[in-house]
Amino acid sequence: MTFISLLPNAPANLVASGETASSVNLSWDAVEDSSGYDVYQDGTVVDTVVTNNYKVTGLTSATTYEFYVVAKSEKYTTESVPSNTVSVTTT
């Protein structure tokens, strides 16, 4: 019997860049067959996007945040395990 996973792969290589006092850019490898991504900040979804990058805004200066991303599949109404977590401290 062949097992076929209905879960999308976890987004790989999440990185943060361009930190300012109130924002940070996140990017990750696109996941094949993903219909979108949930972006998590400190364990809470802050947005759902269809591209493999996102600019987080409205952050507080000199504060540390943790981010991760989950890929979603509309076709199977499933989601991946989380990406790696990145820790970001705003300026």
Side-chain angles (χ1 to χ4, degrees):
M1 179 161 92
T2 303
F3 176 75
I4 299 173
S5 175
L6 303 179
L7 299 177
N9 292 328
N13 302 314
L14 175 64
V15 294
S17 62
E19 296 91 343
T20 69
S22 62
S23 68
V24 64
N25 297 309
L26 303 175
S27 61
W28 56 92
D29 294 347
V31 175
E32 185 177 347
D33 295 329
S34 172
S35 55
Y37 306 91
D38 284 340
V39 179
Y40 285 78
Q41 174 184 318
D42 296 331
T44 302
V45 176
V46 291
D47 208 346
T48 300
V49 298
V50 295
T51 60
N52 60 321
N53 56 71
Y54 182 71
K55 182 173 186 172
V56 184
T57 59
L59 303 176
T60 302
S61 64
T63 303
T64 300
Y65 298 92
E66 290 194 340
F67 298 97
Y68 62 89
V69 178
V70 171
K72 299 170 65 166
S73 168
E74 280 184 15
K75 182 176 181 180
Y76 299 111
T77 62
T78 57
E79 60 183 39
S80 71
V81 297
S83 68
N84 59 297
T85 299
V86 293
S87 182
V88 175
T89 302
T90 52
T91 58

